[in-house]
């Protein structure tokens, strides 16, 4: 089965072609193409995503991106047009995400499914982030395979010790989510910790704005932090009624107050003007101290979750923040069973959507009605 996957939940328009020749087994599955067009440059000027602009930009990009995915996969007909005969199913992110952004991807997928008579499989965005951990780079491309044992995935390119095994804990850390999810088998998801307010990626983005670092905040904070002292400033760790839950809005405010104190300005001083008063070395120290605190909070809760779940065999990181080098360094020392997605699959992409769909199809999931598939801006993984 060849799957065309589409992702447009936030500010990346993406399409991928994934081949799984032995369904329901996913042995020898192969990623044939993965195209991602980012809107980052568009939103740098605003310091964040503007939903209406994102939706309009998806609308402009989505058909060219899909065409490119066909072309990169070598799926063009004699007239150099997408060869739909080679596609057996369409998968699309339909939840959670920005309403207008989800609508563009999902309506495109529905229309193409009707037009070309293909089964349509909706995919949950966080599931696809988790499944990105089974995409391994090979000399010819990236691929995933699933062993005959349905409770364990494996990739032939990775040694058994580097392949996640079940039960596992997934730390999903993105711009919209911060959750610890327990999986006892490939299709079983149980949220055991979640943020009560901001997501950690959102916190990186907001702190970057205070420090005058460009959007998206994660990579620019990580870059500035390499020149800074992570012990220069101390920020409190939040207390939550459920010790596995997170809270990041207090950390953002703590950074703001400490910057104001350091600069000797009142707390009603406009936060967007603070960046003009900060020196390069202050920015670097704030970035490093904030990043260290965010990592400590994430890993402290994950450690607690591991203690409470001694049956867990692997820890899996997923979502845009999992690209963070410092986090990877500290986490792999602290958790010997830690797994991270290939960097190119940490952020939003459609390859992970295809893998999630393939895993669900192989477990017997039935297609959705292309005339009725709805989008859900908010929904928990289940
Ligand atoms: O998964 P993702 O691409 O989109 C969502 O589903 O939200 O995650 C985007 C988030 C942004 O907040 C971005 O600042 C953060 O991931 N991010 C990082 C890094 N790269 C991206 N955060 C920390 N360090 C990074 N290197
Ligand atoms: Zn995402």
């Amino acid at each position: 089965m060849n799957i065309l996957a589409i992702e447009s939940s936030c500010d990346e328009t993406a399409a991928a072609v994934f081949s799984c020749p032995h369904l329901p087994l996913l042995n020898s599955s192969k990623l044939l193409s993965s195209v991602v067009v980012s809107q980052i440059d568009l939103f740098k000027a605003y310091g964040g995503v503007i939903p209406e602009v994102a939706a309009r930009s998806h609308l402009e990009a989505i058909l060219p991106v899909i065409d490119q995915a066909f072309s990169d996969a070598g799926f063009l007909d004699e007239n150099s047009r997408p060869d739909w005969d080679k596609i057996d199913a369409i998968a699309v992110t339909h939840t959670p995400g920005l309403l207008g952004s989800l609508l563009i991807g999902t309506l495109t997928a529905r229309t193409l499914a009707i037009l070309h008579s293909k089964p349509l499989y909706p995919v949950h965005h966080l599931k696809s982030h988790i499944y990105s951990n089974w995409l391994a780079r090979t000399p010819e491309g990236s691929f995933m395979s699933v062993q005959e044992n349905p409770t364990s995935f494996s990739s032939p390119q990775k040694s058994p010790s580097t392949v996640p095994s079940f039960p596992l804990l997934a730390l999903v850390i993105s711009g919209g989510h911060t959750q610890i999810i327990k999986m006892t088998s490939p299709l079983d998801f149980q949220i055991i910790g979640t943020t009560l307010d901001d997501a950690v990626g959102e916190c990186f983005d907001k702190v970057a704005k205070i420090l005058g670092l460009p959007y998206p905040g994660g990579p620019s904070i990580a870059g500035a932090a390499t020149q800074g002292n992570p012990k220069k400033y101390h920020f409190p760790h939040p207390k939550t009624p459920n010790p596995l839950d997170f809270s990041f809005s207090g950390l953002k405010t703590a950074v703001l107050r400490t910057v104001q104190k350091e600069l000797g300005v009142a707390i009603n001083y406009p936060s967007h003007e603070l960046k003009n008063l900060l020196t390069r070395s202050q920015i670097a120290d704030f970035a490093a101290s904030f990043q260290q605190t965010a990592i400590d909070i994430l890993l402290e809760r994950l450690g607690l979750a591991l203690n409470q779940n001694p049956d867990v065999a692997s820890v899996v990181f997923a979502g845009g923040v999992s690209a963070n080098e410092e986090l990877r360094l500290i986490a792999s020392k602290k958790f010997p069973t830690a797994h991270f997605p290939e960097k190119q699959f940490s952020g939003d992409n459609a390859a992970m959507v295809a893998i999630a769909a393939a895993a669900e199809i192989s477990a017997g999931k039935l297609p959705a009605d292309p005339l009725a598939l709805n989008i859900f801006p908010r929904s928990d993984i289940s």
Side-chain angles (χ1 to χ4, degrees):
M1 175 185 268
N2 292 328
I3 300 173
L4 168 73
I6 298 170
E7 153 66 37
S8 72
S9 64
C10 188
D11 59 350
E12 261 94 27
T13 318
V17 175
F18 188 70
S19 160
C20 16
H22 306 306
L23 276 187
L25 302 179
L26 294 186
N27 291 334
S28 315
S29 298
K30 193 167 174 186
L31 183 65
L32 301 183
S33 65
S34 174
V35 180
V36 181
V37 169
S38 173
Q39 302 174 3
I40 282 175
D41 286 344
L42 203 58
F43 295 121
K44 266 199 173 129
Y46 305 102
V49 178
I50 299 172
E52 287 79 3
V53 179
R56 194 177 312 166
S57 172
H58 283 306
L59 193 56
E60 285 169 9
I62 198 144
L63 292 179
V65 164
I66 292 171
D67 283 355
Q68 190 65 45
F70 271 90
S71 171
D72 290 357
F75 280 15
L76 296 182
D77 63 17
E78 63 279 7
N79 300 314
S80 301
R81 304 199 42 90
D83 187 350
W84 281 92
D85 289 344
K86 293 211 164 85
I87 295 292
D88 303 295
I90 299 175
V92 66
T93 310
H94 77 127
T95 186
L98 298 174
L99 186 146
S101 293
L102 287 169
L103 263 179
I104 303 300
T106 302
L107 285 177
T108 303
R110 284 175 54 176
T111 309
L112 292 171
I114 294 166
L115 204 61
H116 299 287
S117 305
K118 308 291 176 189
L120 176 64
Y121 293 92
V123 173
H124 192 285
H125 186 60
L126 300 194
K127 287 186 189 176
S128 48
H129 269 306
I130 294 173
Y131 287 120
S132 69
N133 277 278
W134 279 265
L135 275 165
R137 191 192 295 265
T138 70
E140 328 87 64
S142 301
F143 69 94
M144 177 199 84
S145 85
V146 174
Q147 282 183 328
E148 299 194 15
N149 172 1
T151 59
S152 88
F153 289 174
S154 96
S155 158
Q157 290 312 106
K158 292 185 172 182
S159 68
S161 63
T162 65
V163 172
S165 353
F166 296 93
L168 61 80
L169 286 184
L171 181 68
V172 179
I173 38 181
S174 69
H177 292 84
T178 307
Q179 295 189 326
I180 304 175
I181 294 166
K182 182 167 184 183
M183 293 178 69
T184 50
S185 65
L187 299 175
D188 170 54
F189 303 87
Q190 193 195 340
I191 302 169
I192 60 172
T194 192
T195 184
L196 304 178
D197 40 58
D198 293 354
V200 62
E202 186 181 355
C203 192
F204 268 87
D205 295 337
K206 286 177 174 170
V207 168
K209 224 170 170 175
I210 296 170
L211 301 179
L213 296 167
Y215 176 84
S220 45
I221 292 230
T226 57
Q227 309 297 315
N229 173 6
K231 296 200 171 100
K232 179 78 188 277
Y233 302 105
H234 295 276
F235 305 117
H237 288 208
K239 291 214 166 26
T240 50
N242 169 5
L244 300 186
D245 281 344
F246 302 89
S247 165
F248 281 100
S249 76
L251 177 56
K252 169 202 64 195
T253 311
V255 173
L256 176 63
R257 295 287 173 255
T258 313
V259 170
Q260 290 166 330
K261 198 169 157 209
E262 176 83 6
L263 295 173
V265 300
I267 61 166
N268 59 356
Y269 191 89
S271 62
H272 62 275
E273 286 179 16
L274 292 169
K275 59 177 184 280
N276 304 325
L277 307 178
L278 287 165
T279 65
R280 252 170 184 262
S281 82
Q282 281 173 319
I283 292 171
D285 288 340
F286 273 113
S289 303
F290 158 73
Q291 176 177 264
Q292 187 63 52
T293 310
I295 293 171
D296 288 347
I297 292 169
L298 290 171
L299 299 188
E300 164 194 289
R301 263 115 167 125
L302 186 59
L304 204 57
L306 260 181
N307 291 342
Q308 291 183 8
N309 293 272
D311 56 329
V312 161
S314 299
V315 175
V316 163
F317 290 78
V321 182
S322 74
N324 188 282
E325 278 298 343
E326 193 63 18
L327 170 86
R328 287 181 178 225
L329 206 69
I330 301 172
S332 40
K333 278 189 200 142
K334 188 166 174 174
F335 306 111
T337 61
H339 297 264
F340 302 92
E342 287 273 338
K343 279 277 181 66
Q344 76 185 100
F345 302 123
S346 285
D348 292 345
N349 66 86
M352 66 184 190
V353 178
I355 281 199
E360 293 196 319
I361 294 167
S362 68
K365 179 171 172 160
L366 295 174
D369 177 355
L371 290 170
L373 176 64
N374 216 338
I375 56 133
F376 300 96
R378 287 168 172 273
S379 78
D380 277 338
I381 201 165
S382 61

